[in-house]
Amino acid sequence: MRVVDKPWGREDWLVVGDRIAMKRLVVFAGKRFSLQYHERKEEAWLFVRGSALVTIGETKQVSKAGDVIHLRPKTIHRIEAIDETEFIEVSTPELDDVVRLADDFDRPERD
């Protein structure tokens, strides 16, 4: 397993294959990842613990343990943890396909 520290929390890369990737993400309370979209990557999130304000396009909703969200390519999205939040992400394998529209940590638009 590969652990990737992020300024908002961490990613545990559980499976990275030719057709699928699976990560466990932890977002620290009060932190959020960039407002972003993916050109090719498709993903589904299963919330395990905590609660978060989730932005999907123009919509905002609070998600909590048991909720599932499916994101198609080019869908603008962001997670902001209300309390420490953990979720499982299952996606297509394009893990470097990130276009940032806004970022609290001054990271570049693309990785």
Side-chain angles (χ1 to χ4, degrees):
M1 177 177 72
R2 178 177 173 192
V3 176
V4 179
D5 290 322
K6 298 286 189 172
W8 44 258
R10 76 170 195 279
E11 297 178 341
D12 301 334
W13 293 19
L14 306 172
V15 176
V16 178
D18 293 338
R19 299 185 62 197
I20 193 169
M22 183 168 54
K23 300 188 286 188
R24 176 179 37 243
L25 291 89
V26 175
V27 183
F28 300 142
K31 299 290 185 179
R32 61 185 182 174
F33 58 65
S34 57
L35 183 66
Q36 61 184 258
Y37 68 91
H38 309 292
E39 295 285 344
R40 300 169 314 280
K41 183 181 173 191
E42 186 168 348
E43 56 193 4
W45 300 334
L46 168 61
F47 286 81
V48 176
R49 66 178 171 87
S51 59
L53 180 63
V54 178
T55 301
I56 302 170
E58 299 293 319
T59 304
K60 293 186 182 215
Q61 68 186 52
V62 174
S63 293
K64 59 189 181 329
D67 290 348
V68 175
I69 295 175
H70 177 219
L71 299 168
R72 297 195 182 279
K74 302 193 189 262
T75 302
I76 295 171
H77 60 280
R78 172 183 260 171
I79 289 180
E80 181 175 350
I82 296 167
D83 39 56
E84 188 168 281
T85 300
E86 178 182 349
F87 63 99
I88 302 296
E89 175 187 291
V90 178
S91 73
T92 56
E94 299 89 4
L95 298 180
D96 61 347
D97 175 22
V98 177
V99 179
R100 292 185 185 94
L101 303 173
D103 185 67
D104 295 344
F105 308 102
D106 297 321
R107 294 175 293 172
E109 179 181 306
R110 293 180 184 261
D111 279 334

